[in-house]
Amino acid sequence: MARLNESQLRAQIKERNILNAYLIYGEERYLKEHYISLLKKKIVDPAFESFNLHQFDGKDTALDDILKDAQMLPMMSEYNLVLARDYPVEKSKSDIKLLTEFLDDVPESTVLIFLYDALEPDVKAAGFKKIIAAFDNAGAVVNLEKRSESDVAKLLVSGAKKRGSQLDINNAKYLISVSGNDLKNLLNELDKLSYFAQGKEITRDIIDNMATKCLQARVYDLSKAVVAGNFDSAYAVADTLFNMKEDPVLILSVIGGVYVDMYRVKCAKAAGLSYDDVAKHYNYKGREFALRNASRDCANLTENQLRKSLDEIMDTDLKLKSTSTDKKLLLEELIVKLILIAKEVRYA
């Protein structure tokens, strides 16, 4: 019946235009939980929840059991709601057949929701395409993608107002760059910052002093120090990451991502393009700040320096995963090499 975006789903729920089947997936976990909660409130009377709400963890349940409950009649209510989380339906041809046949004739009193949260479905796989088509015909398919940075910033500004404080749009974007673009985490940070602001403006100083930095933001600080050739600052950030027990492989992955961002921006500039063009081509939706940081940090680096840096990062990645050498030592050695490359100093 429909492929819905977030605003269409929100409007449907508000108007109580409930469909019989929903397939919900996407990158934004907070939004998935938010709309599942709204659907439950609209569909299920709390007084009869034990009769009319059936929830399953797909990893521990057979599809037969899910569909048996989906065929039950509701008790003193219009709908029987069945929610199945992370059911790997595309892995079994018999399950695909069983589910598509059920969706051909969903009971009018049933709302069947397949939610993919911890499990990320392969939407391009032939089996899952059949599931998408079946839900599309029976109800709705909803892909809750990351919101753009501008949309998240507007949400934070509005959220600050509701919490009795003020947040400038530019500071909202700065908060995203500091704490990451996970909505649930950002709203938790906003609660803390609003409480600290005590009805006043949430300033950049408050964000710097009170907001929890995500791993990516700390690695941005590290890359900024490396590009500037500042050994002391680079090692101070690295020590903080080590003291926080961050996984060295994960740290290196984020460092690699930062350098890839810089390389993309540098190549785009050489081709007469902006980082906005890079954002569209490589889908930086929700993390446009990464390219702004990349544009700033790569200003004094050449394409050749960035290529050499990426080669060293790849070499370190191989050593981290294939040797017993101390991982902290390997990362420290990489930091030295990246700084020397940035300073155009030859090393053996």
Side-chain angles (χ1 to χ4, degrees), residues 40 82 99 123 200 237 272 296 309:
K40 285 180 183 178
V82 178
L99 181 56
V123 296
K200 297 179 181 179
V237 177
R296 173 200 67 204
S309 298

Side-chain angles (χ1 to χ4, degrees), residues 91-106:
K91 294 184 178 180
S92 166
K93 290 183 178 179
S94 60
D95 277 353
I96 292 172
K97 184 174 183 292
L98 186 61
L99 181 56
T100 53
E101 287 177 351
F102 178 83
L103 289 170
D104 278 339
D105 189 21
V106 185

